[in-house]
Amino acid sequence: MSFAGPPRLRPPRHPVDPRARRWWTAQALLTVSGPMLLTAVTLLALCLLFFAGALPWLLPLLAVVLVAPACAYAVLMPRRRYAVHAWEVGTYSLYTAGGWLWQKRRVAPLSRVQTVDTLRGPLQRRYGLTTLTVTTASTAGNIRISGLSDADADTLAEHLGRAAQDTVGDAA
Amino acid sequence: MSAPAPDVWLRPDARTLLVHCGWLLPPLGSTTLTALATGGRFPPSALFTLAAVAVSFAAITGIGHLRWSRTRYRVTSDAFELRGGVFSRTLRTMPLSRVRGVDLTATPLHRLLGLTVLRASGTGGAETVLNAVPRAEAARLRTLLLARATPGRAANPELSSVDWRWLRYAPLTFWVLGGVGVAAGTVYRVLDGVGIELWRVGFVQDAFTEFGRSALWLTVPAALVAVLALGSVGALVLYVENWWGYRAAWTDADTLTVRRGLLTTRSVALERSRLHGVLLREPLLLRAAGGASATAVAGGLGSSEEAHARGALVPPAPRHEALRVAVGTLTGSGARDEHPFDGVPLTPHPRVALRRRVVRGLLFAVLPGSVALLVLGALFTPVLLHLAWVYALVTTAVTVLLARDAYRSLGHALAGPHLLVRSGTFSRDTLALERRAISAWTLTTSPFTRRAGLVTLTAAVAAGEHGYHVRDMEPGAALALACAAHPGILEEFLEPA
């Protein structure tokens, strides 16, 4: 292979399921943004009830420290993730991209695949999504694809399982 | 011990039961200390301790006996089997083809009783521990477990053995200062445990009042020197304990055995097929004195921290000696061709990497201290304000120096069958990783590296720390390196820019 300029690693072909955006939003609301907003509301209520005088400085403080980051996280994180997360099975390798602020692209040869697991959490089940985990002998070679549709995950797991079986013995 | 017939279930040595009583020593020792300190009159807390010790002794001895009586092991023609369990019966079968290494260790108590703990580690971090068998039996088991390795003598078996002139490198480690802190903490806790309150002892109180009244410009440096001297002695002791009887040798064509230790002897057998590289470590002080140490990047040594401790190949020693062992480990027995650890020029990384290191230093070292001093100075005394600018100046200078050094360290190259990667300033680490062993590539970016147009390349191997990073590369160079180092993984996803 010879390229004119320096080579570029193109993003993987298949984006994850669009429903993943809603799943990530729900996750954000449950784990980070929700508790932060709830804290802000509680503090505001306590302030109104007992120290109404503190309102002029507490209101902007809460807005900057809790409300704005919580909203930004719930809105930005799922979008960025959806833009980044993708996967592709090539002839020889499995290729995935993930993350949002810290982004990761990993390529692992199909011949090194040891196990293929699928995971459907209660929240994921509501959106019909599956997380697929592929392990190799090296923990730094393990691959996780989250936000796959159930059907995609099943086909992929079957395909990867077959590929791993075809090349058994090379995995160690 | 004559070799028993195969397939017969054997028991650990009965003396193992005595080993289980070893934990009694510290509480009994501290109780004796209390008795001596109080002239035979036990405070109620000590009586409680004694009662608790008695109850635990009964429980632990009971369980220990149960465990011992239920433990059986055997080596069949194709597996190592260990039966055991206290409340439920377990049977652990480790196929001999999966055994990656056999590690024999003995605590002082084990040695006193002539026993050895055998630790067979397998693929995927599986570990089977047999505690404890007589030394001869352990050696026999190890031969059996590693029988799958093809026998045959290596041409030039011995790589290195201990040279006590290396002791001069011992004080050049973290333990000089950290060790004193740890030791002081331990002493305090032991005394506290037996009911002696250090701050009430007249002698200590007097010492502190004297110290405060004396000329501080003289006594503070003196105290520092004393701590350094104490720490150096501790580091020497630790070095001797860790590396007594050190010998690294190819015991057969495919097994590198590293033996070491005074009170706790350990012997680690590294199989050539699991040996995927070497990490040459040069911490700042050691590097200044021309020393280095080396660690094997090998599979089947447990978690990454365990792998680091168990993979030690050579203690802090002269750099050429550490290099010799590293090369001998990589190339097999005789260092036929000089492995180019130093010979190959490393490709430097983009200049932006230097800026990142300077900024990081300013952000985490200079800024917090200066701001804290400024705030305190503004609140309390102008002396601190002066201290703040002095601190800022000095730390900035040091930061720039260290950042330049860190940037100079950064580099990578391909050297024959190995990928060379160097990085770090506090500990300059040079990694030689077997290219064939790399099983996946990862490219990582953070918001900061994206802004600088850099990327970190990670090579995955089933050994050592599993992920080895080549930090702050140009994206194109990272891909070119990945393709050249281990072709056939990510080519199909490339496209012309």
Side-chain angles (χ1 to χ4, degrees):
Chain A
M1 265 183 281
S2 67
F3 297 122
R8 204 177 73 92
L9 191 66
R10 61 173 170 74
R13 287 246 157 76
H14 312 289
V16 294
D17 195 275
R19 283 171 295 185
R21 270 178 299 190
R22 279 189 285 153
W23 169 51
W24 283 319
T25 312
Q27 238 181 6
L29 287 177
L30 276 175
T31 57
V32 178
S33 301
M36 279 168 87
L37 289 175
L38 212 62
T39 315
V41 169
T42 317
L43 284 177
L44 204 63
L46 287 176
C47 178
L48 279 175
L49 286 175
F50 301 109
F51 320 96
L55 210 56
W57 59 266
L58 189 71
L59 206 58
L61 187 74
L62 285 180
V64 171
V65 174
L66 288 173
V67 179
C71 295
Y73 181 72
V75 172
L76 290 182
M77 184 275 281
R79 283 166 186 246
R80 288 295 306 151
R81 267 195 197 284
Y82 184 67
V84 172
H85 279 243
W87 59 276
E88 180 178 346
V89 185
T91 324
Y92 308 107
S93 306
L94 173 62
Y95 175 27
T96 57
W100 64 294
L101 284 179
W102 273 259
Q103 297 174 5
K104 198 161 81 175
R105 289 177 173 185
R106 179 165 287 172
V107 186
L110 295 176
S111 60
R112 305 273 183 159
V113 171
Q114 284 190 334
T115 64
V116 183
D117 301 342
T118 55
L119 180 97
R120 293 187 176 109
L123 197 60
Q124 274 172 299
R125 223 171 298 163
R126 277 202 45 169
Y127 297 97
L129 296 172
T130 300
T131 298
L132 187 88
T133 310
V134 178
T135 62
T136 64
S138 165
T139 51
N142 294 351
I143 282 184
R144 239 167 75 111
I145 317 174
S146 41
L148 286 174
S149 71
D150 291 348
D152 275 356
D154 288 339
T155 353
L156 193 56
E158 201 187 325
H159 180 82
L160 291 174
R162 232 185 2 251
Q165 250 173 16
D166 287 348
T167 53
V168 78
D170 194 24
Chain B
M1 179 182 263
S2 63
D7 294 5
V8 172
W9 286 100
L10 297 169
R11 248 182 197 193
D13 199 275
R15 282 170 290 181
T16 309
L17 289 171
L18 286 176
V19 175
H20 289 315
C21 302
W23 63 274
L24 267 176
L25 291 176
L28 285 186
S30 70
T31 315
T32 318
L33 205 64
T34 318
L36 289 176
T38 55
R41 289 188 307 127
F42 287 102
S45 67
L47 286 179
F48 264 120
T49 316
L50 215 56
V53 166
V55 171
S56 343
F57 174 71
I60 291 182
T61 311
I63 291 178
H65 184 263
L66 211 59
R67 176 175 295 144
W68 173 79
S69 66
R70 294 202 174 163
T71 305
R72 299 273 193 288
Y73 66 90
R74 70 176 179 182
V75 181
T76 63
S77 55
D78 53 12
F80 176 39
E81 295 178 338
L82 186 69
R83 235 167 47 187
V86 176
F87 299 109
S88 58
R89 314 305 296 269
T90 59
L91 170 65
R92 182 133 214 215
T93 308
M94 196 177 215
L96 291 187
S97 57
R98 292 288 169 85
V99 175
R100 285 193 171 186
V102 177
D103 193 357
L104 302 182
T105 56
T107 65
L109 202 58
H110 280 97
R111 284 156 67 83
L112 205 65
L113 298 166
L115 296 175
T116 297
V117 181
L118 182 136
R119 211 176 286 266
S121 38
T123 49
E127 195 173 65
T128 308
V129 180
L130 180 57
N131 184 4
V133 288
R135 270 183 224 135
E137 169 70 355
R140 184 187 75 91
L141 281 176
R142 171 150 78 174
T143 328
L144 279 180
L145 292 179
L146 293 175
R148 289 291 162 103
T150 42
R153 303 295 302 177
N156 180 15
E158 176 151 323
L159 279 182
S160 180
S161 57
V162 77
D163 178 345
W164 291 114
R165 278 174 301 176
W166 300 348
L167 262 180
R168 67 179 186 274
Y169 293 109
L172 302 175
T173 56
F174 152 79
W175 286 103
V176 171
L177 286 178
V180 173
V182 172
T186 312
V187 167
Y188 177 76
R189 284 190 54 167
V190 167
L191 290 178
D192 197 49
V194 298
I196 297 173
E197 288 182 40
L198 209 51
W199 304 114
R200 300 249 174 121
V201 177
F203 155 73
V204 179
Q205 277 183 341
D206 288 349
F208 266 86
T209 359
E210 276 304 310
F211 191 84
R213 225 183 282 145
S214 61
L216 282 179
W217 60 270
L218 204 67
T219 46
V220 169
L224 205 64
V225 167
V227 167
L228 280 180
L230 213 63
S232 301
V233 171
L236 287 175
V237 170
L238 216 63
Y239 193 98
V240 171
E241 143 63 9
N242 273 326
W243 297 98
W244 183 268
Y246 159 71
R247 181 169 182 269
W250 288 93
T251 39
D252 62 56
D254 286 313
T255 317
L256 174 67
T257 308
V258 181
R259 285 183 53 87
R260 62 197 180 90
L262 178 63
L263 298 176
T264 303
T265 49
R266 45 172 61 252
S267 161
V268 180
L270 302 162
E271 245 188 272
R272 191 200 290 265
S273 58
R274 323 280 190 203
L275 203 58
H276 295 311
V278 172
L279 189 67
L280 186 78
R281 316 200 60 200
E282 298 167 274
L284 204 57
L285 288 175
L286 201 57
R287 175 150 48 112
S293 65
T295 309
V297 177
L301 289 182
S303 70
S304 62
E305 294 97 60
E306 281 175 345
H308 200 262
R310 292 169 67 187
L313 286 174
V314 60
R319 191 170 188 277
H320 61 86
E321 182 67 19
L323 257 180
R324 219 174 48 74
V325 176
V327 171
T329 305
L330 288 178
T331 58
S333 47
R336 291 178 303 273
D337 41 0
E338 192 66 15
H339 188 276
F341 247 112
D342 288 324
V344 174
L346 298 182
T347 313
H349 290 205
R351 196 80 186 154
V352 203
L354 172 62
R355 197 194 70 202
R356 289 199 68 213
R357 273 150 189 76
V358 173
V359 168
R360 209 182 297 161
L362 292 177
L363 216 58
F364 291 109
V366 181
L367 199 65
S370 308
V371 168
L373 284 172
L374 275 178
V375 170
L376 287 176
L379 289 177
F380 299 111
T381 157
V383 176
L384 289 178
L385 286 179
H386 290 290
L387 205 60
W389 69 259
V390 171
Y391 173 86
L393 272 186
V394 171
T395 46
T396 306
V398 172
T399 296
V400 170
L401 280 178
L402 287 175
R404 292 180 74 91
D405 182 58
Y407 175 69
R408 262 200 311 276
S409 295
L410 269 188
H412 62 269
L414 294 181
H418 294 104
L419 166 67
L420 291 185
V421 182
R422 175 176 293 166
S423 71
T425 176
F426 294 109
S427 174
R428 188 172 79 174
D429 296 349
T430 313
L431 169 78
L433 192 66
E434 200 186 1
R435 283 157 58 180
R436 239 168 0 106
I438 296 170
S439 65
W441 290 110
T442 309
L443 290 161
T444 324
T445 61
S446 73
F448 314 108
T449 54
R450 275 199 293 280
R451 223 171 60 93
L454 296 175
V455 57
T456 290
L457 179 72
T458 305
V461 286
E465 289 168 34
H466 284 233
Y468 287 95
H469 308 293
V470 193
R471 293 182 198 282
D472 292 352
M473 297 185 76
E474 227 168 74
L479 292 173
L481 180 69
C483 292
H486 190 135
I489 295 183
L490 48 70
E491 276 87 345
E492 54 181 315
F493 305 111
L494 292 183
E495 64 181 16

